[in-house]
PDB file of all heavy atoms in Angstrom:
ATOM      1  N   VAL A  94     -12.138  13.131  24.706  1.00 89.00           N
ATOM      2  CA  VAL A  94     -11.788  12.050  25.674  1.00 89.00           C
ATOM      3  C   VAL A  94     -11.824  12.673  27.068  1.00 89.00           C
ATOM      4  O   VAL A  94     -11.044  13.592  27.283  1.00 89.00           O
ATOM      5  CB  VAL A  94     -10.445  11.455  25.385  1.00 89.00           C
ATOM      6  CG1 VAL A  94     -10.022  10.477  26.486  1.00 89.00           C
ATOM      7  CG2 VAL A  94     -10.419  10.814  23.980  1.00 89.00           C
ATOM      8  N   ILE A  95     -12.712  12.246  27.908  1.00 84.00           N
ATOM      9  CA  ILE A  95     -12.775  12.639  29.325  1.00 84.00           C
ATOM     10  C   ILE A  95     -12.557  11.445  30.166  1.00 84.00           C
ATOM     11  O   ILE A  95     -13.398  10.630  30.287  1.00 84.00           O
ATOM     12  CB  ILE A  95     -14.147  13.342  29.632  1.00 84.00           C
ATOM     13  CG1 ILE A  95     -14.410  14.543  28.754  1.00 84.00           C
ATOM     14  CG2 ILE A  95     -14.135  13.745  31.106  1.00 84.00           C
ATOM     15  CD1 ILE A  95     -15.679  15.241  29.001  1.00 84.00           C
ATOM     16  N   PRO A  96     -11.336  11.321  30.707  1.00 76.00           N
ATOM     17  CA  PRO A  96     -10.973  10.081  31.364  1.00 76.00           C
ATOM     18  C   PRO A  96     -11.730   9.812  32.685  1.00 76.00           C
ATOM     19  O   PRO A  96     -11.892   8.684  33.024  1.00 76.00           O
ATOM     20  CB  PRO A  96      -9.481  10.223  31.667  1.00 76.00           C
ATOM     21  CG  PRO A  96      -9.178  11.619  31.504  1.00 76.00           C
ATOM     22  CD  PRO A  96     -10.194  12.213  30.618  1.00 76.00           C
ATOM     23  N   HIS A  97     -12.179  10.891  33.347  1.00 66.00           N
ATOM     24  CA  HIS A  97     -12.907  10.653  34.600  1.00 66.00           C
ATOM     25  C   HIS A  97     -13.977  11.665  34.742  1.00 66.00           C
ATOM     26  O   HIS A  97     -13.723  12.840  34.867  1.00 66.00           O
ATOM     27  CB  HIS A  97     -11.960  10.737  35.815  1.00 66.00           C
ATOM     28  CG  HIS A  97     -12.662  10.662  37.093  1.00 66.00           C
ATOM     29  ND1 HIS A  97     -13.225   9.468  37.536  1.00 66.00           N
ATOM     30  CD2 HIS A  97     -12.936  11.561  38.016  1.00 66.00           C
ATOM     31  CE1 HIS A  97     -13.803   9.681  38.728  1.00 66.00           C
ATOM     32  NE2 HIS A  97     -13.597  10.958  39.054  1.00 66.00           N
ATOM     33  N   MET A  98     -15.242  11.233  34.650  1.00 54.00           N
ATOM     34  CA  MET A  98     -16.343  12.148  34.833  1.00 54.00           C
ATOM     35  C   MET A  98     -17.173  11.588  35.973  1.00 54.00           C
ATOM     36  O   MET A  98     -17.797  10.549  35.935  1.00 54.00           O
ATOM     37  CB  MET A  98     -17.204  12.105  33.521  1.00 54.00           C
ATOM     38  CG  MET A  98     -18.384  13.060  33.567  1.00 54.00           C
ATOM     39  SD  MET A  98     -17.824  14.771  33.627  1.00 54.00           S
ATOM     40  CE  MET A  98     -19.297  15.591  33.280  1.00 54.00           C
ATOM     41  N   TRP A  99     -17.086  12.255  37.098  1.00 56.00           N
ATOM     42  CA  TRP A  99     -17.759  11.769  38.315  1.00 56.00           C
ATOM     43  C   TRP A  99     -19.269  12.023  38.194  1.00 56.00           C
ATOM     44  O   TRP A  99     -19.705  12.857  37.510  1.00 56.00           O
ATOM     45  CB  TRP A  99     -17.205  12.398  39.553  1.00 56.00           C
ATOM     46  CG  TRP A  99     -17.211  13.878  39.596  1.00 56.00           C
ATOM     47  CD1 TRP A  99     -16.209  14.680  39.205  1.00 56.00           C
ATOM     48  CD2 TRP A  99     -18.349  14.732  39.990  1.00 56.00           C
ATOM     49  NE1 TRP A  99     -16.621  15.996  39.319  1.00 56.00           N
ATOM     50  CE2 TRP A  99     -17.888  16.083  39.792  1.00 56.00           C
ATOM     51  CE3 TRP A  99     -19.587  14.497  40.456  1.00 56.00           C
ATOM     52  CZ2 TRP A  99     -18.698  17.142  40.082  1.00 56.00           C
ATOM     53  CZ3 TRP A  99     -20.381  15.626  40.692  1.00 56.00           C
ATOM     54  CH2 TRP A  99     -19.963  16.951  40.524  1.00 56.00           C
ATOM     55  N   TYR A 100     -19.977  11.260  38.942  1.00 57.00           N
ATOM     56  CA  TYR A 100     -21.438  11.351  38.996  1.00 57.00           C
ATOM     57  C   TYR A 100     -21.920  11.209  40.379  1.00 57.00           C
ATOM     58  O   TYR A 100     -21.458  10.304  41.146  1.00 57.00           O
ATOM     59  CB  TYR A 100     -22.049  10.273  38.056  1.00 57.00           C
ATOM     60  CG  TYR A 100     -23.575  10.217  38.200  1.00 57.00           C
ATOM     61  CD1 TYR A 100     -24.353  11.147  37.552  1.00 57.00           C
ATOM     62  CD2 TYR A 100     -24.176   9.234  38.929  1.00 57.00           C
ATOM     63  CE1 TYR A 100     -25.740  11.073  37.619  1.00 57.00           C
ATOM     64  CE2 TYR A 100     -25.553   9.181  39.049  1.00 57.00           C
ATOM     65  CZ  TYR A 100     -26.321  10.106  38.374  1.00 57.00           C
ATOM     66  OH  TYR A 100     -27.668  10.056  38.520  1.00 57.00           O
ATOM     67  N   GLY A 101     -22.775  12.017  40.837  1.00 55.00           N
ATOM     68  CA  GLY A 101     -23.306  11.878  42.181  1.00 55.00           C
ATOM     69  C   GLY A 101     -24.817  12.165  42.176  1.00 55.00           C
ATOM     70  O   GLY A 101     -25.324  12.952  41.454  1.00 55.00           O
ATOM     71  N   ARG A 102     -25.454  11.452  43.101  1.00 53.00           N
ATOM     72  CA  ARG A 102     -26.918  11.647  43.266  1.00 53.00           C
ATOM     73  C   ARG A 102     -27.166  12.325  44.600  1.00 53.00           C
ATOM     74  O   ARG A 102     -26.437  12.091  45.564  1.00 53.00           O
ATOM     75  CB  ARG A 102     -27.617  10.297  43.226  1.00 53.00           C
ATOM     76  CG  ARG A 102     -27.645   9.684  41.858  1.00 53.00           C
ATOM     77  CD  ARG A 102     -28.248   8.352  41.824  1.00 53.00           C
ATOM     78  NE  ARG A 102     -29.580   8.343  42.444  1.00 53.00           N
ATOM     79  CZ  ARG A 102     -30.450   7.349  42.320  1.00 53.00           C
ATOM     80  NH1 ARG A 102     -30.109   6.246  41.677  1.00 53.00           N
ATOM     81  NH2 ARG A 102     -31.600   7.328  42.904  1.00 53.00           N
ATOM     82  N   SER A 103     -28.200  13.097  44.636  1.00 55.00           N
ATOM     83  CA  SER A 103     -28.505  13.784  45.890  1.00 55.00           C
ATOM     84  C   SER A 103     -29.539  13.009  46.709  1.00 55.00           C
ATOM     85  O   SER A 103     -29.816  13.352  47.862  1.00 55.00           O
ATOM     86  CB  SER A 103     -29.028  15.173  45.566  1.00 55.00           C
ATOM     87  OG  SER A 103     -30.195  15.126  44.797  1.00 55.00           O
ATOM     88  N   ASP A 104     -30.215  11.965  46.138  1.00 55.00           N
ATOM     89  CA  ASP A 104     -31.150  11.280  46.921  1.00 55.00           C
ATOM     90  C   ASP A 104     -30.484  10.000  47.570  1.00 55.00           C
ATOM     91  O   ASP A 104     -29.338   9.688  47.262  1.00 55.00           O
ATOM     92  CB  ASP A 104     -32.347  10.772  46.041  1.00 55.00           C
ATOM     93  CG  ASP A 104     -31.863   9.839  44.972  1.00 55.00           C
ATOM     94  OD1 ASP A 104     -30.974  10.235  44.165  1.00 55.00           O
ATOM     95  OD2 ASP A 104     -32.434   8.742  44.857  1.00 55.00           O
ATOM     96  N   SER A 105     -31.156   9.355  48.440  1.00 57.00           N
ATOM     97  CA  SER A 105     -30.609   8.219  49.102  1.00 57.00           C
ATOM     98  C   SER A 105     -31.336   6.921  48.706  1.00 57.00           C
ATOM     99  O   SER A 105     -31.409   5.991  49.463  1.00 57.00           O
ATOM    100  CB  SER A 105     -30.713   8.414  50.610  1.00 57.00           C
ATOM    101  OG  SER A 105     -32.027   8.542  51.038  1.00 57.00           O
ATOM    102  N   ASP A 106     -31.858   6.841  47.523  1.00 55.00           N
ATOM    103  CA  ASP A 106     -32.535   5.640  47.030  1.00 55.00           C
ATOM    104  C   ASP A 106     -31.459   4.720  46.445  1.00 55.00           C
ATOM    105  O   ASP A 106     -31.041   4.909  45.337  1.00 55.00           O
ATOM    106  CB  ASP A 106     -33.577   6.046  45.960  1.00 55.00           C
ATOM    107  CG  ASP A 106     -34.432   4.872  45.535  1.00 55.00           C
ATOM    108  OD1 ASP A 106     -34.347   3.779  46.172  1.00 55.00           O
ATOM    109  OD2 ASP A 106     -35.139   5.066  44.568  1.00 55.00           O
ATOM    110  N   TRP A 107     -31.117   3.663  47.186  1.00 52.00           N
ATOM    111  CA  TRP A 107     -30.022   2.772  46.770  1.00 52.00           C
ATOM    112  C   TRP A 107     -30.569   1.378  46.457  1.00 52.00           C
ATOM    113  O   TRP A 107     -29.906   0.414  46.721  1.00 52.00           O
ATOM    114  CB  TRP A 107     -28.996   2.635  47.902  1.00 52.00           C
ATOM    115  CG  TRP A 107     -28.183   3.853  48.030  1.00 52.00           C
ATOM    116  CD1 TRP A 107     -28.647   5.156  48.198  1.00 52.00           C
ATOM    117  CD2 TRP A 107     -26.788   3.934  48.178  1.00 52.00           C
ATOM    118  NE1 TRP A 107     -27.618   6.008  48.337  1.00 52.00           N
ATOM    119  CE2 TRP A 107     -26.460   5.295  48.352  1.00 52.00           C
ATOM    120  CE3 TRP A 107     -25.743   2.963  48.143  1.00 52.00           C
ATOM    121  CZ2 TRP A 107     -25.133   5.723  48.499  1.00 52.00           C
ATOM    122  CZ3 TRP A 107     -24.494   3.425  48.316  1.00 52.00           C
ATOM    123  CH2 TRP A 107     -24.198   4.778  48.509  1.00 52.00           C
ATOM    124  N   GLY A 108     -31.729   1.256  45.830  1.00 55.00           N
ATOM    125  CA  GLY A 108     -32.298  -0.054  45.583  1.00 55.00           C
ATOM    126  C   GLY A 108     -31.595  -0.850  44.556  1.00 55.00           C
ATOM    127  O   GLY A 108     -30.603  -0.371  43.951  1.00 55.00           O
ATOM    128  N   GLU A 109     -32.009  -2.101  44.338  1.00 52.00           N
ATOM    129  CA  GLU A 109     -31.449  -2.926  43.335  1.00 52.00           C
ATOM    130  C   GLU A 109     -31.559  -2.276  41.949  1.00 52.00           C
ATOM    131  O   GLU A 109     -32.556  -1.649  41.587  1.00 52.00           O
ATOM    132  CB  GLU A 109     -32.135  -4.298  43.337  1.00 52.00           C
ATOM    133  CG  GLU A 109     -31.515  -5.287  42.418  1.00 52.00           C
ATOM    134  CD  GLU A 109     -32.219  -6.644  42.490  1.00 52.00           C
ATOM    135  OE1 GLU A 109     -32.952  -6.868  43.447  1.00 52.00           O
ATOM    136  OE2 GLU A 109     -31.998  -7.439  41.542  1.00 52.00           O
ATOM    137  N   ARG A 110     -30.489  -2.420  41.115  1.00 54.00           N
ATOM    138  CA  ARG A 110     -30.427  -1.900  39.758  1.00 54.00           C
ATOM    139  C   ARG A 110     -30.454  -0.363  39.715  1.00 54.00           C
ATOM    140  O   ARG A 110     -30.890   0.263  38.817  1.00 54.00           O
ATOM    141  CB  ARG A 110     -31.560  -2.389  38.874  1.00 54.00           C
ATOM    142  CG  ARG A 110     -31.496  -3.875  38.647  1.00 54.00           C
ATOM    143  CD  ARG A 110     -32.616  -4.262  37.787  1.00 54.00           C
ATOM    144  NE  ARG A 110     -32.620  -5.705  37.566  1.00 54.00           N
ATOM    145  CZ  ARG A 110     -32.313  -6.288  36.427  1.00 54.00           C
ATOM    146  NH1 ARG A 110     -31.995  -5.546  35.403  1.00 54.00           N
ATOM    147  NH2 ARG A 110     -32.306  -7.583  36.306  1.00 54.00           N
ATOM    148  N   LYS A 111     -30.023   0.239  40.781  1.00 54.00           N
ATOM    149  CA  LYS A 111     -29.942   1.704  40.846  1.00 54.00           C
ATOM    150  C   LYS A 111     -28.436   2.111  41.067  1.00 54.00           C
ATOM    151  O   LYS A 111     -27.705   1.391  41.656  1.00 54.00           O
ATOM    152  CB  LYS A 111     -30.799   2.264  42.017  1.00 54.00           C
ATOM    153  CG  LYS A 111     -32.265   1.805  41.962  1.00 54.00           C
ATOM    154  CD  LYS A 111     -33.144   2.909  42.166  1.00 54.00           C
ATOM    155  CE  LYS A 111     -34.537   2.357  41.970  1.00 54.00           C
ATOM    156  NZ  LYS A 111     -35.551   3.192  42.315  1.00 54.00           N
ATOM    157  N   THR A 112     -28.143   3.276  40.552  1.00 51.00           N
ATOM    158  CA  THR A 112     -26.778   3.797  40.721  1.00 51.00           C
ATOM    159  C   THR A 112     -26.590   4.323  42.091  1.00 51.00           C
ATOM    160  O   THR A 112     -27.432   5.087  42.585  1.00 51.00           O
ATOM    161  CB  THR A 112     -26.506   4.940  39.683  1.00 51.00           C
ATOM    162  OG1 THR A 112     -26.807   4.434  38.421  1.00 51.00           O
ATOM    163  CG2 THR A 112     -25.101   5.391  39.729  1.00 51.00           C
ATOM    164  N   ALA A 113     -25.517   3.895  42.727  1.00 51.00           N
ATOM    165  CA  ALA A 113     -25.219   4.444  44.081  1.00 51.00           C
ATOM    166  C   ALA A 113     -24.781   5.866  43.988  1.00 51.00           C
ATOM    167  O   ALA A 113     -24.025   6.272  43.134  1.00 51.00           O
ATOM    168  CB  ALA A 113     -24.130   3.558  44.683  1.00 51.00           C
TER     169      ALA A 113
END
Side-chain angles (χ1 to χ4, degrees):
V94 175
I95 300 179
H97 176 70
M98 182 68 167
W99 56 267
Y100 172 78
R102 288 176 54 167
S103 60
D104 63 305
S105 59
D106 187 9
W107 289 48
E109 186 179 342
R110 296 180 183 251
K111 305 225 177 172
T112 306

